[in-house]
Amino acid sequence: MTLFEKIVAREIPAKIVFEDDEVLAFHDVNPQAPVHVLVIPKRVIPRIAEAQPGDGALLGRLLLTAKQIGADLGLSETGFRLVINSGHNGGETVPHLHVHLLGGRPMHWPPG
Ligand code: 5GP
């Protein structure tokens, strides 16, 4: 099981902010912004580099869920950033696709 599958299974505790049949969202344990939520598919896709055409609906659901959580947490007006890290150079550390929702402070560009 991936670390995030263990969170889905409630084997590892997390501050969950949203759940439905396909998606789980919870606060990052090491937040990089005042709001830092991870949105994951319950079905494991290791990383976006390995996503398949048949995953399109689920990928769309992740983005729409992240948008809705951002709205629910009051980020729509001030803005927010969605990040997907893929592979070594992308900074991925957990091989279970996740969208980072970051907000509550200005973001910088280019990213580090
Ligand atoms: P990545 O570096 O793969 O894009 O992001 C993985 C994220 O998972 C990191 O931001 C890290 O802080 C977070 N993370 C790692 N372990 C845990 C955990 O046990 N619980 C939670 N809530 N987040 C975790």
Side-chain angles (χ1 to χ4, degrees):
M1 280 174 105
T2 68
L3 177 67
F4 290 168
E5 281 181 289
K6 291 179 181 173
I7 289 177
V8 172
R10 305 317 202 256
E11 291 179 15
I12 295 176
K15 290 196 275 182
I16 292 170
V17 294
F18 175 83
E19 179 170 26
D20 67 14
D21 55 333
E22 290 191 314
V23 172
L24 187 75
F26 50 90
H27 289 279
D28 197 293
V29 76
N30 182 24
Q32 301 301 310
V35 173
H36 188 172
V37 169
L38 303 174
V39 184
I40 71 165
K42 290 185 174 179
R43 173 170 66 79
V44 180
I45 300 170
R47 58 193 56 82
I48 194 68
E50 294 179 40
Q52 301 299 316
D55 297 324
L58 182 55
L59 295 176
R61 203 154 164 174
L62 292 177
L63 292 178
L64 289 171
T65 299
K67 178 219 71 163
Q68 187 58 49
I69 293 168
D72 293 346
L73 295 178
L75 302 178
S76 294
E77 289 289 317
T78 52
F80 55 87
R81 180 172 290 177
L82 303 182
V83 173
I84 299 175
N85 297 323
S86 187
H88 176 74
N89 279 0
E92 171 202 312
T93 59
V94 178
H96 183 149
L97 178 65
H98 46 283
V99 177
H100 295 258
L101 166 64
L102 297 149
R105 66 166 173 80
M107 299 294 150
H108 305 292
W109 195 264

